[in-house]
Amino acid sequence: MNPVNQYEIDLRANRIAAIENLGATENQFDSIDLSDNSIVRLEGFPKLPRLQCLHLSNNRINRIARNLEEAIPKLEWLILTNNRLANLQDLDSLSTLPRLRFLSLLDNPVTKQPHYRLYVIARCKKLKMLDFRKVKLTEREEAERMYGAAPEQAAQTTFEPDEELKQAEAAVVAPAAAPPAQQRTGPTPEQITAIKAAIAAASTLEEVRRLEDALKTGHLPSEITVGAEDGTAAAGAAANGGAAAMEEG
């Protein structure tokens, strides 16, 4: 039992690196103290509908997972003093905690961001105390004027490393899955027959070389045509015609 008559479990200074296995508490505590550990992400909660207070001071938290309200819907106090939250968007996921009233982000880099206080007040509509200072009505009005966007929309832009990894993997796989460029195919059997016939009928070494190149690439010279019934005869006729033309010349 803590000083405010809450049932609390003390897990301070246990070198905890990730929030896990809290299901073993069987939802019997109002408060959990995880201060002075090495936690990096605020995530990993089982369903703890009784939990009202989380102490996470002096950790290394730099990311807050989405959908925390599904696991800890009654959370009212969240103490994140002296962590590593740096960007205003890192705080968007807190907007979905329906009962969050007391929040401390002192000694986080994000507190140095312009309009930090107004941004948090706009996102967390039910806040009564931020960084141990009461939220004033004038601040709430100014926050609404500057950051009136729906917090649900803002929360969708929260950075999620797992999701970015999936997107990066998809970007790498996508080019590989694209249909390959059409490759040049070799000559058909009919073309090979026609070119060989033309080589046999060639009268100069230059013509033989040209036809051999055509045999390798599959591109028929314009004088060679492959007939539907007798490709050899067509090629031979073309070659003989070429030879006759050379003799007349």
Side-chain angles (χ1 to χ4, degrees):
M1 191 75 70
N2 66 14
V4 292
N5 295 322
Q6 292 177 327
Y7 284 97
E8 181 176 272
I9 182 171
D10 188 349
L11 299 172
R12 298 172 65 100
N14 281 293
R15 300 182 180 179
I16 297 171
I19 298 172
E20 56 188 3
N21 301 323
L22 288 181
T25 65
E26 299 181 349
N27 190 38
Q28 295 184 12
F29 297 96
D30 305 297
S31 177
I32 297 177
D33 191 345
L34 286 159
S35 303
D36 303 312
N37 283 293
S38 302
I39 298 168
V40 176
R41 295 192 66 191
L42 187 57
E43 64 176 4
F45 294 96
K47 289 189 179 298
L48 298 173
R50 179 173 176 172
L51 187 64
Q52 298 178 33
C53 184
L54 264 177
H55 296 272
L56 288 153
S57 298
N58 304 322
N59 278 277
R60 303 175 183 176
I61 296 171
N62 56 29
R63 292 289 181 267
I64 300 173
R66 298 176 185 172
N67 305 320
L68 290 175
E69 74 283 359
E70 296 178 3
I72 45 178
K74 293 185 179 180
L75 190 72
E76 296 186 12
W77 290 76
L78 181 57
I79 310 302
L80 290 166
T81 303
N82 192 27
N83 277 278
R84 299 182 181 180
L85 293 161
N87 301 309
L88 293 175
Q89 290 74 20
D90 294 337
L91 309 177
D92 286 345
S93 292
L94 299 178
S95 66
T96 61
L97 291 169
R99 297 193 180 187
L100 186 62
R101 291 174 172 80
F102 305 93
L103 174 65
S104 174
L105 294 162
L106 289 172
D107 297 325
N108 279 265
V110 70
T111 61
K112 304 296 192 299
Q113 294 284 350
H115 308 298
Y116 145 77
R117 186 173 173 87
L118 293 178
Y119 186 90
V120 176
I121 293 171
R123 291 291 174 261
C124 302
K125 304 291 188 182
K126 299 293 182 67
L127 273 188
K128 292 184 176 181
M129 196 85 69
L130 175 58
D131 298 337
F132 304 103
R133 288 170 50 200
K134 184 177 179 179
V135 175
K136 299 178 181 178
L137 178 60
T138 54
E139 288 180 311
R140 205 177 298 280
E141 292 172 347
E142 181 68 8
E144 184 65 23
R145 187 184 67 80
M146 292 186 65
Y147 302 105
E152 292 82 8
Q153 296 177 354
Q156 292 176 0
T157 64
T158 303
F159 174 81
E160 286 289 328
D162 293 341
E163 291 188 5
E164 289 206 345
L165 178 59
K166 292 177 183 178
Q167 292 173 1
E169 290 174 347
V172 172
V173 172
Q182 185 175 0
Q183 297 179 351
R184 181 179 295 171
T185 59
T188 65
E190 293 81 5
Q191 290 174 331
I192 293 174
T193 301
I195 294 172
K196 286 182 176 180
I199 291 174
S203 58
T204 65
L205 181 60
E206 181 180 354
E207 187 176 357
V208 170
R209 289 176 177 172
R210 183 169 60 86
L211 292 169
E212 286 178 344
D213 290 339
L215 184 62
K216 294 177 181 178
T217 61
H219 292 298
L220 271 68
S222 58
E223 68 271 15
I224 298 178
T225 59
V226 179
E229 297 179 356
D230 192 354
T232 303
N240 289 337
M246 291 179 64
E247 290 177 358
E248 290 178 1

